[in-house]
Amino acid sequence: MLPDHRIRQRDYLLEITRSLTQELNLEKLLQRILELAAEMLAGKAGLIALREEQGGWDIGASYGIQPKFLQYIKPVLAEVPENDEQAGLELPEVNRLLQLLTKRASLNLLTGVGLTLISEKRVIGLIFIFRGYQGSFSQNDRAILQSFADQAAIAVINAQLYSQVSREKSRLSAFLDYAADGIVIMSADHKIEKCNQAFARILRKDVGDIEGKDHNQIINWGSRQHGLTLEEAELNGWPLTAKAILYVEGDLKRPTGEMVPVGITYAPLLSGEGHLINIIGSVRDITNFREADEIKSVFVSVISHELKTPVALIKGYVGTLRRKDVSWDSEVVQDSLEVIEEETDRLTELIENLLDASRLQAGSFSLNLAEIKIDQMAAEMAERFQTQTDQHKIIVQFPEEFPVIVGDKKRLEQVFFNLLSNSIKYSPEGGEILISGQIRTHAWAKRCQESHTRKDQALFGIVQGGIFPDLRVHSAQYIAELDFPGNAIGGLSVGEKKSEMLEIIELVIKHLPENKPRYLMGVGTPLDIVQGVYRGIDLFDCVNPTRLARHKSAFTRYGRINISGKKYEKDPRPLVEDCSCYTCRNFSRSYLRHLVKSNELLAPILLSIHNLHLLIYLTSELRSAIMAGTISDFIASYFENAKNNGCSL
């Protein structure tokens, strides 16, 4: 039976009622409920197990329990099978497991009392109090405890609902703050209740100067191109339904008198009875759309003129040649045909350019990529254009051994053509036209080397060049000649095939000095590290250990596992059997999966600890094998085991 303070039963119920109406912080509420239950039942410790909305059980609050013991309880709760009959099957199972754990942990010195939290047939959780003595409860005791539990369940539901509303409010605020378009929320009488920064930026006003004002004080139309204003639409009966969208477009007047083109979409929010509650306006700055329309108009006008010129010439020459009252000699005919051919070529080129523009807009524009000597192309184009002008001197300056690039020859020639023709056209008085090329990556490396003064830092040069062998060799040779303290290989592990990455490493390593550290940037899986060391790499860095941990994955010696998988739900093993990291020594796969499924911050922390430990231990093994002269045997054994574990080398 209850200890002799039943005279306080009314106080307990009043206390929980006060919590129901006053405390909406879920964490504080659960703690207060637990303390009251422990006092009521003369308990030494206790916990509240909550059933989560997405399924499963977790500890919502604890009292008088050591954190280490809680770590054992959580996996036990995670093992409770989900069932549609939560009150009839899940709750008794939770109570049974906690009773069993209590007896085993205390050597039968403690017993437990469970109070079910159920409201309107919905299972909220279980209050479980650890007591130091057995005892029976009278009918009156049970009524008091049940009343307490019912009140507690209602209080928890209210706090959960409040938390949910708070989260939704935060999401709405985030949506408003980060929406690209302006958002304005008005009451039924057009009073602006809330707006976002994007709307304030469109008007060039502060949010505080907008909220609380009437709609017609803020939205001042200079001119309208489309639709009715909000006031005009309401006079015509808007909104008739909840889906009655109103769109108006025009020039909005800013406080400075400046005009800004906008499109505003108004949407009504109606009550269940059909009464207008709010009006939500979405305001979009359409300046860019207006400019695009103007550019399109100019483009069509220019193209029309450009097309008319060759068409008129062709038609004129053809009409002249067809005259029956004149007999043309062969020289005149030949000259006329040459003009027709030139203008036809020009017309064909214009049409091809138009087709390219349409392909570009449709996303189907393609390039015919090939290796190109850009310095040679520049020299040829300069020679071609030099014959067209006596007032300009076209100079070409490229470094020796300028690397071959990959590009579309035809498109690059178009670029040179446009640049050179405009240079001549817009400098009628003449002068020098310079075409120069620069290897920026190498120029930057040299600038860094010249600027570096700190003695406590080692500045490495970085070899670039993508997956193109000739560019990689050129870059490696140049960087090696600069004599940095160490050399890095960059631009790999960014989406290329694994085989391509390994081929580039093998190629570049041959051109880097052996007496200086060779650093492979951004590569860091266990297999990649061994592959890199096998090819002569000394240093690595990578975000993989922590990034994968944030995405629920853990390294194994030869690959990785995603711990959120269903198969790990009751797996008592560590992540890696022979791993000595803190995570593997203290936590099972099932517990780690529980943390992941519960979105606990501890999950990525423990997985990061494991991933980093595994890589550090692997590199220490590689280092020891190198010093012992057994690196070849170590790597051969590793590759063999990797193949047996399904890895592709």
Side-chain angles (χ1 to χ4, degrees):
M1 61 189 302
L2 292 176
D4 191 20
H5 46 257
R6 280 177 292 176
I7 54 173
R8 287 203 57 204
Q9 60 184 261
R10 182 182 298 174
D11 294 337
Y12 287 126
L13 295 179
L14 287 173
E15 179 70 26
I16 196 63
T17 302
R18 279 196 295 271
S19 296
L20 172 65
T21 56
Q22 296 176 6
E23 185 57 75
L24 291 173
N25 182 297
L26 182 60
E27 185 178 342
K28 291 181 179 178
L29 174 66
L30 291 174
Q31 201 64 41
R32 184 57 184 149
I33 290 172
L34 188 56
E35 290 171 359
L36 288 171
E39 184 180 349
M40 224 174 155
L41 292 162
K44 297 185 176 182
L47 61 87
I48 296 179
L50 294 179
R51 194 183 192 283
E52 300 179 330
E53 288 185 17
Q54 67 272 25
W57 290 76
D58 196 12
I59 297 175
S62 64
Y63 167 74
I65 302 175
Q66 292 296 321
K68 286 187 177 180
F69 187 58
L70 286 176
Q71 290 180 2
Y72 290 103
I73 297 176
K74 287 187 176 183
V76 170
L77 293 177
E79 292 177 4
V80 177
E82 294 184 25
N83 199 293
D84 292 337
E85 292 291 330
Q86 297 170 17
L89 296 174
E90 285 192 36
L91 265 177
E93 179 64 9
V94 172
N95 189 52
R96 185 189 70 81
L97 290 172
L98 290 175
Q99 293 284 4
L100 185 62
L101 189 63
T102 303
K103 291 178 180 179
R104 287 181 178 176
S106 67
L107 301 177
N108 287 324
L109 295 176
L110 294 177
T111 185
V113 176
L115 302 179
T116 58
L117 299 175
I118 301 176
S119 178
E120 296 183 353
K121 298 182 180 180
R122 175 189 164 192
V123 172
I124 310 300
L126 178 75
I127 304 173
F128 193 86
I129 302 298
F130 300 93
R131 305 206 311 169
Y133 63 93
Q134 297 282 350
S136 59
F137 298 102
S138 67
Q139 194 67 29
N140 187 51
D141 293 339
R142 293 179 186 277
I144 294 170
L145 292 173
Q146 189 58 55
S147 179
F148 176 85
D150 291 343
Q151 292 289 327
I154 295 170
V156 171
I157 287 176
N158 280 353
Q160 288 176 334
L161 288 173
Y162 178 77
S163 298
Q164 185 178 349
V165 169
S166 298
R167 286 195 299 270
E168 292 300 324
K169 185 178 179 181
S170 298
R171 287 175 188 165
L172 177 60
S173 297
F175 169 75
L176 290 174
D177 290 341
Y178 296 106
D181 291 342
I183 304 291
V184 57
I185 301 174
M186 296 173 282
S187 62
D189 60 355
H190 298 186
K191 185 80 72 178
I192 296 176
E193 296 177 348
K194 191 169 182 59
C195 72
N196 64 353
Q197 288 291 344
F199 180 67
R201 283 194 296 270
I202 290 173
L203 290 176
R204 293 185 179 167
K205 293 172 68 74
D206 292 331
V207 171
D209 295 333
I210 297 173
E211 293 178 348
K213 300 287 196 308
D214 287 332
H215 170 267
N216 57 11
Q217 290 181 276
I218 301 299
I219 304 296
N220 295 313
W221 294 105
S223 63
R224 275 183 294 127
Q225 283 77 44
H226 177 81
L228 300 173
T229 67
L230 178 61
E231 290 76 17
E232 290 170 347
E234 286 189 327
L235 289 174
N236 290 331
W238 184 89
L240 297 175
T241 68
K243 296 182 179 180
I245 303 299
L246 172 66
Y247 180 75
V248 57
E249 183 179 305
D251 294 321
L252 202 62
K253 189 182 292 184
R254 287 172 170 156
T256 58
E258 182 186 2
M259 297 291 183
V260 55
V262 299
I264 304 181
T265 302
Y266 296 99
L269 180 63
L270 304 181
S271 67
E273 295 77 27
H275 300 304
L276 184 64
I277 301 173
N278 288 107
I279 301 172
I280 300 170
S282 174
V283 186
R284 174 167 291 186
D285 185 340
I286 58 173
T287 302
N288 292 337
F289 295 100
R290 288 268 185 92
E291 291 175 353
D293 286 339
E294 291 174 6
I295 291 170
K296 190 183 295 183
S297 298
V298 172
F299 177 75
V300 170
S301 175
V302 171
I303 288 298
S304 299
H305 175 74
E306 292 292 329
L307 288 173
K308 283 179 180 178
T309 302
V311 169
L313 283 170
I314 292 170
K315 184 178 180 181
Y317 273 94
V318 170
T320 302
L321 292 175
R322 290 184 61 190
R323 286 180 60 181
K324 296 179 180 179
D325 59 336
V326 180
S327 178
W328 304 107
D329 60 40
S330 60
E331 186 177 348
V332 172
V333 171
Q334 187 61 35
D335 289 344
S336 298
L337 290 175
E338 285 180 4
V339 172
I340 291 171
E341 185 179 16
E342 288 176 1
E343 294 303 320
T344 302
D345 290 341
R346 182 182 172 192
L347 186 60
T348 302
E349 185 178 2
L350 284 170
I351 293 171
E352 189 63 34
N353 289 340
L354 281 173
L355 290 173
D356 282 344
S358 65
R359 293 184 192 113
L360 190 63
Q361 190 172 23
S364 59
F365 185 79
S366 61
L367 298 173
N368 297 317
L369 299 178
E371 293 186 347
I372 297 170
K373 289 187 68 66
I374 194 74
D375 51 344
Q376 183 178 324
M377 180 185 286
E380 291 172 354
M381 295 296 292
E383 184 179 353
R384 175 179 164 188
F385 273 86
Q386 189 65 75
T387 61
Q388 301 177 19
T389 176
D390 295 328
Q391 294 180 296
H392 300 82
K393 183 179 181 181
I394 304 177
I395 302 170
V396 179
Q397 288 183 356
F398 279 79
E400 292 184 10
E401 299 181 1
F402 197 80
V404 173
I405 70 164
V406 176
D408 187 315
K409 185 173 184 295
K410 183 180 177 182
R411 305 302 171 197
L412 287 170
E413 285 177 345
Q414 286 178 333
V415 172
F416 274 117
F417 181 91
N418 291 333
L419 290 174
L420 287 169
S421 60
N422 285 335
S423 297
I424 293 170
K425 180 179 179 180
Y426 294 108
S427 56
E429 296 180 0
E432 290 186 350
I433 299 172
L434 175 64
I435 307 173
S436 64
Q438 187 180 45
I439 309 171
R440 289 189 177 273
T441 301
H442 295 165
W444 181 250
K446 202 163 187 178
R447 285 176 62 191
C448 289
Q449 191 177 48
E450 291 168 355
S451 302
H452 186 252
T453 57
R454 289 181 58 173
K455 303 298 183 183
D456 59 332
Q457 290 180 335
L459 184 68
F460 280 34
I462 303 175
V463 177
Q464 300 286 1
I467 57 172
F468 304 104
D470 50 349
L471 296 182
R472 282 287 181 178
V473 169
H474 178 83
S475 181
Q477 291 173 342
Y478 184 89
I479 292 296
E481 288 175 3
L482 291 179
D483 197 29
F484 283 101
N487 298 293
I489 302 174
L492 291 178
S493 191
V494 289
E496 75 282 357
K497 295 177 182 177
K498 190 73 69 177
S499 59
E500 291 174 330
M501 181 187 81
L502 298 177
E503 287 171 7
I504 292 298
I505 294 172
E506 290 178 354
L507 176 67
V508 170
I509 283 289
K510 299 174 185 176
H511 300 278
L512 297 179
E514 294 183 358
N515 63 336
K516 293 184 178 181
R518 292 172 293 198
Y519 160 34
L520 183 57
M521 303 178 72
V523 176
T525 67
L527 182 57
D528 285 347
I529 287 176
V530 177
Q531 292 273 28
V533 171
Y534 175 66
R535 288 163 174 79
I537 298 297
D538 304 299
L539 298 173
F540 302 85
D541 86 294
C542 194
V543 299
N544 260 341
T546 50
R547 176 184 286 167
L548 288 177
R550 292 195 301 274
H551 290 82
K552 311 166 189 175
S553 291
F555 282 139
T556 65
R557 191 168 176 82
Y558 306 105
R560 70 189 192 199
I561 59 174
N562 189 312
I563 200 64
S564 65
K566 181 77 173 176
K567 62 182 177 180
Y568 303 116
E569 185 177 15
K570 297 183 180 180
D571 193 337
R573 296 175 298 166
L575 287 170
V576 175
E577 293 285 358
D578 57 349
C579 180
S580 60
C581 76
Y582 172 79
T583 302
C584 289
R585 283 188 286 111
N586 291 281
F587 305 99
S588 67
R589 293 181 178 185
S590 63
Y591 178 63
L592 291 169
R593 179 184 183 275
H594 160 71
L595 292 178
V596 165
K597 300 301 283 186
S598 303
N599 293 321
E600 288 281 356
L601 185 59
L602 183 59
I605 294 173
L606 292 177
L607 292 175
S608 294
I609 290 170
H610 165 77
N611 288 344
L612 289 167
H613 176 91
L614 189 142
L615 291 185
I616 292 170
Y617 183 76
L618 176 60
T619 52
S620 71
E621 286 184 299
L622 288 163
R623 188 163 52 249
S624 298
I626 292 171
M627 295 175 70
T630 58
I631 186 64
S632 297
D633 294 338
F634 180 90
I635 289 178
S637 173
Y638 183 92
F639 285 166
E640 184 65 30
N641 290 331
K643 285 182 181 178
N644 294 336
N645 281 271
C647 295
S648 177
L649 301 179

